[in-house]
């Protein structure tokens, strides 16, 4: 083969691969960010030095693999785990949380603020009137266990849309929880159809230990990203101002970016 032919061949391959990634990206999460494929490969945490490079590589390869696989597997109800674990925090010792719990979360409100067109504050009954999705999925904790449950909730994207949509500078959302946890998510996660704010588990209200009254299900991530006891959502252009600035409680304390399930 001539040198020219070899080069032409390579370029052709590259182009098709690029088109594939672009197409998959647009399908996967493009509702708010159509056609903007580079956004999908930006890791939320950019660390200095070698570890930073490792995180970026892990995330880039996960996003590459996941772009062909739109949804995580959904299971049959017969596969639901009988005693789904309650892991880590089970009842935050937070005065405000305890007050809200004492009246069955009647006064609980979810503020959605930051780089969003119409900041809102929504109640549980508001959420329950919005579009609803149920999914039976496997929760995989990075600490070595997994279990299956059915989760019911409002797609995060519907909540963002109810707040008028994001502003152009918006890149991530930060979710804070009662009890002090927080995690950041990029728009790839936010717009994914299986990303829901869950108020139901196995057909009942979300139990206390599993994050009542509201937790996140962001199915392509490991357990630590499934934030429980949700308190507020803020749309941001940078994660720098939260905690130690790496994009979440876990990465702030030295855990590295994990691929999803
Ligand atoms: N607010 C809050 N969210 C949290 C945690 C926590 O301790 N507090 N633990 C995380 C981890 S590591 C896992 S595995 C899951 C556990 O969810 P479960 O208690 O419903 O099993 O919640 C995640 N979200
Ligand atoms: Mo976990």
């Amino acid at each position: 083969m001539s040198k020219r032919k070899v080069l032409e061949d390579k370029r052709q391959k590259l182009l098709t691969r690029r088109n594939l990634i672009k197409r998959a990206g647009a399908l996967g999460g493009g509702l708010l960010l159509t056609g903007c494929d580079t956004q999908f490969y930006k890791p939320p945490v950019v660390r200095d030095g070698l570890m930073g490079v490792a995180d970026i590589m892990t995330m880039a390869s996960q996003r590459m693999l996941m772009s062909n696989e739109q949804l995580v597997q959904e299971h049959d109800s017969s596969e639901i785990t009988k005693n789904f674990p309650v892991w880590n925090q089970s009842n935050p010792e937070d005065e405000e949380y305890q007050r809200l719990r004492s009246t069955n979360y009647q006064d609980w409100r979810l503020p959605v603020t930051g780089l969003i067109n119409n900041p809102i504050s929504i109640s549980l009954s508001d959420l329950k009137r919005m579009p609803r999705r149920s999914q039976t999925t496997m929760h995989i904790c990075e600490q070595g266990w997994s279990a299956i449950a059915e989760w019911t909730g409002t797609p995060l994207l519907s909540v963002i849309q109810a707040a008028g949509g994001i502003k152009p500078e918006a890149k991530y959302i930060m979710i804070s929880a009662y009890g002090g946890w927080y995690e950041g998510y990029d728009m790839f996660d936010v717009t994914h159809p299986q990303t829901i704010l869950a108020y139901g588990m196995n057909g009942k209200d979300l139990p206390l230990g599993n994050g009542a009254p509201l937790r996140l299900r962001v199915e392509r991530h490991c357990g630590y990203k499934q934030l429980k006891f949700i308190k507020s959502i803020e749309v941001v252009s940078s994660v720098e101002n939260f905690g130690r600035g790496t994009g979440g409680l876990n990465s702030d304390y030295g855990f590295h970016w994990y691929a999803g399930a």
Side-chain angles (χ1 to χ4, degrees), residues 81 83-85 137-149 261:
T81 306
N83 292 304
F84 194 100
T137 53
M138 185 182 287
H139 175 108
I140 301 178
C141 171
E142 63 296 334
Q143 287 165 290
W145 59 272
S146 63
I148 294 174

Side-chain angles (χ1 to χ4, degrees), residues 7 10 27 70 98 100 126 144 169 179 185 199 211 215 242:
L7 278 177
K10 259 194 181 155
L27 280 172
Q70 300 303 312
Q98 292 304 329
L100 295 168
D126 291 339
E169 324 84 87
Y185 306 87
Y199 44 73
R215 82 174 303 164
F242 280 82

Side-chain angles (χ1 to χ4, degrees), residues 38-254:
T38 53
Q39 302 229 23
F40 294 113
Y41 296 94
K42 213 175 279 170
V45 179
V46 180
R47 272 176 234 262
D48 293 332
L50 259 186
M51 281 331 257
V53 173
D55 276 355
I56 290 167
M57 301 279 281
T58 317
M59 183 166 182
S61 38
Q62 189 247 15
R63 290 293 143 100
M64 192 91 99
L65 292 169
M66 285 303 186
S67 61
N68 289 326
E69 202 182 320
Q70 300 303 312
L71 303 174
V72 308
Q73 189 188 353
E74 297 196 7
H75 294 262
D76 189 78
S77 54
S78 64
E79 295 173 89
I80 289 174
T81 306
K82 292 250 152 50
N83 292 304
F84 194 100
V86 168
W87 199 251
N88 298 332
Q89 288 182 308
S90 56
N91 182 6
E93 287 170 30
D94 181 302
E95 232 175 89
E96 195 186 340
Y97 181 78
Q98 292 304 329
R99 189 175 54 75
L100 295 168
R101 183 166 89 88
S102 70
T103 53
N104 203 24
Y105 312 104
Q106 264 178 33
D107 299 326
W108 178 96
R109 292 286 182 285
L110 175 68
V112 183
T113 61
L115 300 171
I116 192 120
N117 292 317
N118 300 308
I120 46 172
S121 182
I122 38 186
S123 68
L124 272 180
S125 43
D126 291 339
L127 275 172
K128 289 178 181 172
R129 277 195 297 269
M130 291 172 72
R132 164 190 303 233
R133 184 188 160 89
S134 287
Q135 58 206 35
T136 303
T137 53
M138 185 182 287
H139 175 108
I140 301 178
C141 171
E142 63 296 334
Q143 287 165 290
W145 59 272
S146 63
I148 294 174
E150 184 205 46
W151 308 100
T152 300
T154 315
L156 179 54
L157 186 57
S158 300
V159 173
I160 297 294
Q161 281 167 339
I166 56 170
K167 296 200 167 157
E169 324 84 87
K171 286 217 178 73
Y172 310 102
I173 69 157
M174 291 295 309
I175 309 188
S176 304
Y178 289 104
W181 280 52
Y182 50 90
E183 283 295 333
Y185 306 87
D186 63 12
M187 293 305 165
F188 187 89
D189 290 331
V190 172
T191 56
H192 190 269
Q194 286 169 320
T195 299
I196 62 173
L197 293 167
Y199 44 73
M201 183 182 185
N202 300 333
K204 301 199 175 98
D205 283 350
L206 187 65
L208 170 64
N210 301 105
L214 194 74
R215 82 174 303 164
L216 185 68
R217 292 303 309 173
V218 51
E219 299 293 353
R220 291 176 303 180
H221 281 284
C222 286
Y224 77 103
K225 279 281 185 187
Q226 319 297 326
L227 201 71
K228 306 194 284 186
F229 315 111
I230 291 179
K231 182 180 184 179
S232 60
I233 294 182
E234 189 177 345
V235 184
V236 296
S237 59
S238 148
V239 296
E240 268 166 30
N241 294 329
F242 280 82
R244 297 180 176 180
T246 70
L249 178 90
N250 285 270
S251 50
D252 274 357
Y253 288 88

